């Protein structure tokens, strides 16, 4: 859908926000905390950004963008080329970081990882749930939305590394808390440290979102396998080194995609038969065990499985 940049605002050093409204007016699609959208940029690339506005606001969406000079060009384009009044193409919200119901939440954010956490806090407040936030960054001036968080008082701990050192995860997560869910988003070292501190917690208590793909060790040397694209009536071979997505495209099958690295969820396809070796950075262990969907940009057939059937 086409949306107008209603407001562009500097939120911190190297971080800006864009408030977006429908170009044709009217209400926006409903979304839930943790959702992100694809933004199609004028340089021909698509990037995913977490929605960080109020999910109850049906007339405005907000995204936060971190400038990454060593990135792939998306953030540089936003900073240099996208201004108030511009029109951008935005996809429908998708959510692989859903906020489940709980009596209490612990939120941990690092840097731009605060963006999906903001609507979670808004929702938790509205539902009357208990929650706390530990928010870290390199410096106080690099941490976005701190003024917005200030009115929550001592439920929010702002911990810039140059002032406080590393986040006190031992104090926050050292003791398992039944009925509590932990949501963490940020750089991989932070997510790894959170997971390490929660080894004694109940399974499923930790939910994470990554902005970069998790390093996945293949189960062995890649083997060729067949894929039946059930809805298209086409069967094709996926050779070693190729992805199901690329084979689908070569066969003329239209499949959604955006990141091609297993982090955005755009290419998720229903798995009707066979077993997948999941190499994405999105699905939980429970979701992987169900074997009913897979990310076709990175995942393959499990060793010993010669054929998959996908609803594509």
């Amino acid at each position: 859908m086409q949306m107008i940049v209603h407001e562009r605002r500097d939120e911190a050093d190297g971080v800006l926000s864009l408030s977006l409204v429908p170009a044709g007016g009217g209400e926006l699609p409903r979304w839930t905390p943790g959702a992100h959208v694809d933004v199609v940029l004028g340089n021909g690339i698509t990037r995913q950004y977490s929605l960080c506005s109020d999910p109850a606001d049906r007339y405005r969406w907000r995204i936060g963008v971190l400038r990454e000079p060593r990135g792939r060009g998306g953030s540089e384009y936003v900073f240099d080329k996208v201004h108030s009044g511009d029109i951008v193409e935005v996809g429908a919200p998708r959510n692989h970081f859903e906020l489940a119901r709980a009596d209490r939440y612990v939120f941990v954010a690092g840097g731009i990882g605060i963006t999906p956490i903001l609507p979670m806090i808004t929702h938790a407040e509205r539902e009357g749930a208990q929650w706390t936030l530990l928010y870290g960054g390199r410096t106080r001036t690099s941490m976005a939305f701190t003024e917005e968080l200030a009115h929550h008082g001592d439920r929010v701990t702002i911990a810039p590394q140059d002032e406080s050192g590393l986040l006190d995860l031992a104090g926050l997560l050292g003791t398992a808390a039944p009925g509590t869910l932990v949501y963490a988003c940020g750089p991989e070292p932070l997510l790894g440290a959170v997971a390490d501190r929660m080894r004694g917690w109940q399974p499923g208590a930790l939910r994470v979102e990554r902005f970069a793909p998790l390093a996945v060790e293949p189960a062995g040397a890649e083997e060729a396998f067949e894929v039946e694209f059930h809805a298209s009536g086409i069967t094709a071979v996926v050779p070693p080194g190729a992805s199901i997505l690329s084979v689908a495209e070569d066969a003329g099958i239209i499949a959604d995609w955006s990141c091609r690295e297993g982090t955005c969820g755009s290419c998720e396809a229903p798995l009707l038969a066979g077993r997948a070796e999941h190499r994405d950075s999105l699905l939980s262990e429970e979701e992987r065990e169900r074997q009913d969907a897979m990310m076709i940009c990175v995942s393959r057939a499990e060793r010993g499985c010669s054929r998959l059937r996908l609803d594509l």
Side-chain angles (χ1 to χ4, degrees):
M1 74 190 85
Q2 288 193 327
M3 302 191 72
I4 298 172
V5 180
H6 178 68
E7 181 183 17
R8 168 177 160 150
R9 177 175 174 176
D10 292 328
E11 300 290 352
D13 292 344
V15 180
L16 61 76
S17 66
L18 300 178
S19 291
L20 307 170
V21 298
E27 291 189 345
L28 288 162
R30 295 186 183 277
W31 58 281
T32 53
H36 67 266
V37 293
D38 289 343
V39 178
V40 182
L41 302 173
N43 56 355
I45 60 176
T46 300
R47 292 291 179 265
Q48 302 81 44
Y49 297 103
S50 296
L51 291 172
C52 60
S53 45
D54 184 347
D57 187 345
R58 298 294 303 281
Y59 300 94
R60 180 188 72 112
W61 287 347
R62 182 180 66 173
I63 60 173
V65 182
L66 169 68
R67 186 163 206 157
E68 298 181 272
R70 298 179 182 176
R72 295 176 295 166
S75 66
E76 292 282 272
Y77 184 91
V78 172
F79 269 79
D80 296 340
K81 302 293 185 181
V82 179
H83 302 283
S84 295
D86 288 350
I87 294 179
V88 293
E89 190 74 22
V90 181
R94 296 193 308 274
N95 201 340
H96 286 276
F97 194 38
E98 283 277 4
L99 184 67
R101 183 177 295 276
D103 296 329
R104 182 173 181 271
Y105 301 99
V106 174
F107 301 115
V108 182
I112 198 63
I114 190 61
T115 50
I117 301 298
L118 291 174
M120 293 184 176
I121 289 173
T122 300
H123 182 80
E125 280 281 276
R126 193 168 283 141
E127 294 295 307
Q130 299 180 36
W131 63 271
T132 58
L133 166 67
L134 179 58
Y135 177 22
R138 290 178 288 104
T139 64
R140 190 174 296 272
T141 59
S142 72
M143 298 172 67
F145 307 109
T146 52
E147 291 184 11
E148 185 173 316
L149 291 165
H151 76 274
H152 292 298
D154 60 6
R155 283 177 292 179
V156 173
T157 300
I158 305 293
Q161 187 172 350
D162 63 339
E163 299 176 20
S164 310
L166 296 178
L167 295 180
D168 182 16
L169 298 178
L172 182 69
L173 304 171
T175 302
T180 297
L181 292 180
V182 178
Y183 282 79
C185 184
E188 191 58 38
L190 172 63
L191 300 183
V194 170
D196 286 342
R197 287 295 178 185
M198 292 185 63
R199 292 188 184 279
W201 286 57
Q202 66 271 25
L206 175 60
R207 318 290 173 91
V208 303
E209 182 171 66
R210 292 177 166 87
F211 292 139
L214 182 66
V216 178
E217 189 69 29
E222 290 188 352
E223 300 174 344
F225 58 94
E226 286 188 338
V227 175
E228 177 190 344
F229 298 103
H230 182 69
S232 302
I234 295 172
T235 299
V237 174
V238 181
S243 69
I244 298 174
L245 175 59
S246 65
V247 169
E249 291 174 326
D250 290 343
I253 297 169
I254 298 174
D256 290 335
W257 65 271
S258 181
C259 72
R260 288 186 180 267
E261 56 186 17
T263 58
C264 76
S266 301
C267 69
E268 183 175 11
L271 178 59
L272 303 178
R275 291 188 61 83
E277 179 187 309
H278 295 289
R279 298 183 179 183
D280 64 275
S281 303
L282 283 167
L283 297 178
S284 66
E285 286 303 318
E286 180 182 354
E287 290 169 329
R288 294 179 180 213
E289 284 299 319
R290 289 205 298 262
Q291 289 286 343
D292 59 2
M294 65 187 298
M295 307 303 164
I296 62 172
C297 68
V298 291
S299 298
R300 300 179 62 81
E302 194 175 81
R303 283 181 65 81
C305 175
S306 61
R307 186 182 179 95
L308 300 175
R309 183 186 301 143
L310 298 174
D311 192 11
L312 281 175

